[in-house]
Amino acid sequence: MSVMYQDGSNENDQIILATGGYDHTIKIWQTHTGICQRTMQHAESQVNALEITPDKSCLAATGYQHIRMYDLASNNPNPTVNYEGITKNVTGVGFQEDGKWMYTGSEDCSARIWDYRLKSPHAAKIFQTSAPVTCVCLHPNQVELLVGDQSGVIHLWDLKTDHNEQFIPEGDTMILDIDVDSEGTHMAAVNSKGRCYIWSLTFGREGEPTKMHPKHKFDAHKRQALKCRFSPDSTLLVTTSADQTARIWKTCDFTLLQELTQDNQRWVWDAVFSSDSQYIFTASSDGCAKLWNVKSGHMEREYAGHQKAVIALAFRDAVL
């Protein structure tokens, strides 16, 4: 991420860091200085999740009964699209790799597909679960959505056939986050007991879903684990927790590489790697986002400005 510290405006324009949380605001940051460039209001609700479109033109923000799209190319502080029909908290959001559609998960026991190009406020597809959805993750193959829920079930939903399968790593223990590495060979899930489960994935034969093979499980944290993210190069996994830490694990053997912690950090809600896998951003209840050096484990920059807990991060630095 050396581009991060250069002054060329074209390079810095490629880098977007957005944060949101309980103070009902979204902030866009200049990553190499820690200066807040823009604040957008997210009235009526906290910000639960954020994601930047693949072309970096828009930012999706989710909250209670809301999914809102903000234009990153203009200074318009108001959302340009409001998506409708959800009755509870929207807990996760992401985009198909070409930006053709958006996916969300919600505590109204549903995962939804939205035709992003049409800008329609209504979902194009809905998948019902029997418990509130806590997280959603798109497989790199772009045709399977992994949906985690409060009852401890992971659903594998085939978007082409509508076929679905269920996996229960630990009964009656909330799945709080799921991630699949960029190669599509491993999946991680973390739960409310602080455990992390790892599966190896194999591609299904023609028309068949991805096969999941339990590979490893370990106690990642002493309290609930909130997020898990593979590094872009698939060599690392970061987990965040209510135990006031983020931890970086080597994926070759799932031993601990670094513990990212600071006094008064409180809950660490979210984390995301830089595209070169050498840096991590975290969001925490102390009202700050932080930039950490993966190799040293040291905090290199703090992004302070929110009045309450920061619980969502979105970051893109890869050149288009």
Side-chain angles (χ1 to χ4, degrees):
M1 209 167 61
S2 57
V3 64
M4 187 169 184
Y5 302 103
Q6 297 176 12
D7 290 324
S9 59
N10 288 337
E11 279 141 352
N12 286 328
D13 286 345
Q14 295 292 325
I15 300 168
I16 302 166
L17 172 65
T19 58
Y22 282 120
D23 64 356
H24 294 208
T25 67
I26 297 164
K27 293 183 180 292
I28 308 293
W29 303 88
Q30 194 172 41
T31 49
H32 62 296
T33 64
I35 294 170
C36 178
Q37 294 178 306
R38 182 178 169 192
T39 299
M40 296 172 292
Q41 299 305 313
H42 190 265
E44 304 162 38
S45 167
Q46 78 279 359
V47 179
N48 292 329
L50 293 168
E51 189 58 85
I52 298 160
T53 55
D55 66 3
K56 301 181 185 173
S57 66
C58 295
L59 175 73
T62 78
Y64 180 70
Q65 299 184 336
H66 292 298
I67 307 157
R68 292 174 171 150
M69 198 70 67
Y70 294 84
D71 186 355
L72 292 173
S74 77
N75 290 318
N76 181 0
N78 300 311
T80 54
V81 186
N82 286 299
Y83 296 90
E84 299 170 356
I86 295 174
T87 58
K88 301 280 182 71
N89 269 310
V90 185
T91 49
V93 61
F95 290 93
Q96 186 264 353
E97 63 183 358
D98 299 321
K100 291 176 182 174
W101 41 266
M102 176 175 73
Y103 59 90
T104 60
S106 170
E107 289 179 355
D108 68 358
C109 304
S110 76
R112 296 171 191 239
I113 302 296
W114 311 80
D115 194 326
Y116 171 66
R117 293 170 304 178
L118 289 180
K119 301 287 191 280
S120 167
H122 303 293
K125 267 188 168 186
I126 300 177
F127 175 70
Q128 293 290 343
T129 59
S130 56
V133 171
T134 54
C135 53
V136 282
C137 171
L138 182 62
H139 190 291
N141 64 19
Q142 307 296 303
V143 297
E144 291 171 318
L145 197 67
L146 293 143
V147 181
D149 72 27
Q150 287 186 13
S151 69
V153 178
I154 297 172
H155 309 263
L156 178 69
W157 176 26
D158 187 316
L159 300 172
K160 282 190 171 177
T161 65
D162 263 346
H163 175 79
N164 72 87
E165 296 188 3
Q166 296 185 1
F167 305 87
I168 306 173
E170 188 172 351
D172 295 326
T173 305
M174 265 193 260
I175 300 292
L176 291 179
D177 200 29
I178 299 169
D179 197 32
V180 177
D181 74 344
S182 60
E183 297 165 2
T185 57
H186 287 91
M187 183 179 89
V190 290
N191 70 19
S192 56
K193 291 182 179 175
R195 291 195 185 93
C196 181
Y197 286 81
I198 306 294
W199 292 261
S200 61
L201 306 179
T202 53
F203 300 105
R205 296 186 177 179
E206 194 67 36
E208 290 185 352
T210 293
K211 300 282 188 261
M212 296 168 55
H213 312 279
K215 182 179 180 181
H216 190 52
K217 71 173 180 179
F218 59 100
D219 291 324
H221 295 275
K222 293 176 181 175
R223 296 180 66 189
Q224 56 259 61
L226 302 169
K227 282 286 190 294
C228 58
R229 291 279 182 276
F230 285 102
S231 60
D233 66 6
S234 301
T235 64
L236 303 169
L237 177 75
V238 63
T239 57
T240 74
S241 173
D243 70 5
Q244 307 188 15
T245 69
R247 291 176 175 168
I248 306 171
W249 311 87
K250 299 178 191 174
T251 55
C252 59
D253 56 8
F254 293 98
T255 55
L256 183 65
L257 175 67
Q258 298 289 0
E259 181 175 274
L260 310 179
T261 186
Q262 262 207 325
D263 292 342
N264 303 315
Q265 184 164 262
R266 299 195 285 171
W267 288 34
V268 184
W269 288 93
D270 203 356
V272 62
F273 280 91
S274 60
S275 62
D276 62 8
S277 304
Q278 293 181 31
Y279 296 88
I280 286 178
F281 293 92
T282 60
S284 47
S285 286
D286 59 5
C288 297
K290 301 177 181 75
L291 173 68
W292 307 81
N293 184 302
V294 168
K295 192 172 183 181
S296 69
H298 293 147
M299 189 188 79
E300 300 211 348
R301 193 157 288 111
E302 193 170 65
Y303 304 87
H306 284 281
Q307 302 305 306
K308 293 184 179 179
V310 182
I311 62 173
L313 279 173
F315 179 69
R316 283 194 187 267
D317 66 337
V319 177
L320 290 172

